[in-house]
């Protein structure tokens, strides 16, 4: 009884077989079919390898939403070298919301030599080259995001030589916290003096001949400090052509949440436009000599997430490649055989063209002579 049920089950399964087997004696192989099969297998192997490389790769997904965090502080990371002595310059932030000076106590004034060493110049040239490529190819920013914490810091290495030259510049570096509103970070002559109506700088004791706001921005970023991230102003160097020169940077800061397979951090991206001019009151160019970085906080927040292709999607695409290649090559091979048979049939029919037969009256007949029984004897 069990054997009978097993036989019925097997017969039922055979009837449901959607892939019937053809006996080998009924299968006809050809050289053209083998060639097409070889091309199909090669194409499938190549596309499978390419698809596996796509499966291993990741991409960055950007999502935008309104930034509702107005109470937290904004961190500014600064590393700027100015070609003036430290006792002649002062750096501070003017908070436009409260029209008050935010103390820059977190900054360190370090006397240094403005001229770079060969090793430092090489790193600066590399940063400038990366900045130029980033402006042309924006997709490189995704590569930088994914490689964060893997790369070394973008800060210049310390001097490898102990120069006997006296310091002629001031390196202002460190970080400070400000309100998340528009503000103005600036470096100008003299130390900042608190004032009820704003602020002022004690610049009376510094002669105009010693003004030199040539500067180098080794690092400027907002938010959490992430090693390996290259910001738009990193590696920037400006040489003043006049003593009374103003350098202005207009910065738009965008809050950014970065989530990759390596890190998860809250930082800020920013875009910047630059402007510089010589202060000449007689010519109508008014202002104060110095370096001014006017920043504004965007109301939108960007969430950057690193994504990976799911395994099931990889299998579906792989099946589509294999099935599509087999179906396409089969159709092309069948169409090629059909065309070849038509051409060869016409060629064979042409070989049976009628021949001319002379008639007794001198005319010719283009019809084939009839074959009768008498003509065979």
């Amino acid at each position: 009884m069990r054997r009978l049920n097993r036989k019925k089950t097997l017969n039922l399964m055979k009837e449901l077989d959607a892939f019937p087997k053809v006996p080998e004696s009924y299968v006809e192989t050809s050289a053209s079919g083998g060639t097409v099969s070889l091309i199909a297998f090669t194409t499938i192997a190549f596309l499978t390898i390419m698809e596996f490389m796509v499966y291993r790769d990741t991409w960055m997904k950007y999502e935008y939403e309104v930034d509702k965090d107005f109470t937290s502080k904004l961190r500014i990371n600064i590393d700027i070298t100015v070609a003036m002595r430290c006792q002649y310059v002062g750096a501070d932030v003017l908070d436009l919301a409260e029209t008050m000076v935010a103390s820059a106590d977190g900054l360190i004034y370090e006397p240094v030599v403005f001229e770079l060493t060969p090793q430092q110049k090489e790193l600066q040239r590399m940063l400038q080259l990366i900045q130029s490529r980033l402006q042309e190819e924006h997709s490189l920013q995704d590569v930088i995001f994914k490689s964060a914490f893997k790369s070394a810091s973008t800060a210049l290495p310390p001097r490898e030589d102990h120069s006997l030259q006296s310091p002629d510049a001031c390196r202002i570096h460190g970080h400070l916290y400000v309100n998340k509103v528009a503000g103005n970070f600036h470096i100008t002559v003299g130390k900042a003096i608190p004032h009820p109506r704003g602020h002022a700088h004690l610049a009376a004791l510094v002669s105009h001949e010693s003004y030199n706001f040539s500067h180098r921005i080794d690092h400027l970023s907002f938010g959490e400090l992430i090693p390996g991230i290259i910001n738009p102003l990193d590696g920037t160097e400006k040489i003043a052509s006049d003593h009374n020169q103003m350098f202005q940077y207009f910065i738009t800061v965008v809050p950014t949440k970065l989530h990759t397979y390596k890190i998860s951090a809250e930082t800020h991206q920013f875009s910047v436009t630059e402007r510089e001019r010589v202060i000449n009151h007689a010519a109508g160019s008014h202002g104060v000599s110095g370096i001014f970085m006017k920043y504004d906080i965007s109301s939108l927040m960007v969430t950057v997430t690193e994504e990976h292709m799911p395994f099931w999607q990889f299998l579906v695409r792989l099946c589509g490649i294999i099935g599509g290649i087999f179906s396409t090559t089969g159709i092309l091979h069948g169409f090629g055989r059909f065309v070849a048979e038509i051409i060869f049939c016409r060629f064979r029919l042409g070989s049976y063209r009628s021949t001319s037969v002379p008639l007794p009256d001198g005319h010719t007949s283009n019809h084939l002579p009839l074959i009768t029984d008498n003509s065979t004897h």
Side-chain angles (χ1 to χ4, degrees), residues 221-336:
S221 64
F222 297 84
E224 182 180 347
L225 185 60
I226 303 178
I229 298 296
I230 299 177
N231 297 277
L233 287 177
D234 292 353
T236 301
E237 185 176 70
K238 298 290 184 180
I239 303 300
S241 58
D242 192 272
H243 295 291
N244 297 326
Q245 192 154 351
M246 173 190 288
F247 295 91
Q248 292 177 306
Y249 299 92
F250 301 93
I251 300 173
T252 301
V253 183
V254 181
T256 303
K257 291 183 179 180
L258 182 61
H259 302 287
T260 68
Y261 290 104
K262 299 295 182 180
I263 64 171
S264 180
E266 293 187 6
T267 182
H268 292 72
Q269 301 180 84
F270 66 91
S271 60
V272 59
T273 55
E274 305 173 11
R275 183 189 178 192
E276 58 181 87
R277 60 188 176 91
V278 176
I279 302 301
N280 188 349
H281 298 287
S285 179
H286 304 291
V288 179
S289 303
I291 304 168
F292 297 86
M293 297 182 177
K294 299 181 180 182
Y295 60 89
D296 192 8
I297 311 298
S298 175
S299 59
L300 292 179
M301 181 176 62
V302 182
T303 302
V304 185
T305 308
E306 185 178 6
E307 292 193 345
H308 186 272
M309 181 187 296
F311 183 70
W312 65 266
Q313 187 175 354
F314 169 70
L315 292 180
V316 171
R317 292 166 66 98
L318 199 61
C319 293
I321 289 175
I322 297 174
I325 293 297
F326 267 114
S327 300
T328 304
T329 52
I331 293 173
L332 293 177
H333 181 240
F335 180 75

Side-chain angles (χ1 to χ4, degrees), residues 129-253:
L129 178 61
I130 294 175
Q131 294 289 8
S132 61
R133 293 293 301 273
L134 284 173
Q135 293 177 1
E136 297 174 359
E137 303 178 20
H138 299 284
S139 59
L140 291 178
Q141 186 65 46
D142 294 348
V143 180
I144 294 177
F145 280 150
K146 289 189 286 187
S147 63
F149 280 154
K150 295 181 181 180
S151 306
S153 175
T154 57
L156 290 177
R159 299 182 69 91
E160 67 273 9
D161 60 337
H162 300 283
S163 178
L164 299 177
Q165 182 182 354
S166 60
D168 58 350
C170 184
R171 180 190 174 198
I172 305 173
H173 61 97
H175 65 273
L176 49 92
Y177 291 91
V178 298
N179 296 323
K180 288 187 67 173
V181 292
N184 181 7
F185 170 77
H186 52 274
I187 302 173
T188 186
V189 178
K191 303 301 180 181
I193 303 174
H195 194 275
R197 296 183 179 179
H199 80 293
H201 287 262
L202 187 60
L205 301 178
V206 183
S207 64
H208 284 76
E209 297 300 326
S210 60
Y211 285 15
N212 185 4
F213 284 102
S214 299
H215 61 280
R216 182 176 58 252
I217 304 175
D218 297 324
H219 180 79
L220 179 69
S221 64
F222 297 84
E224 182 180 347
L225 185 60
I226 303 178
I229 298 296
I230 299 177
N231 297 277
L233 287 177
D234 292 353
T236 301
E237 185 176 70
K238 298 290 184 180
I239 303 300
S241 58
D242 192 272
H243 295 291
N244 297 326
Q245 192 154 351
M246 173 190 288
F247 295 91
Q248 292 177 306
Y249 299 92
F250 301 93
I251 300 173
T252 301
V253 183

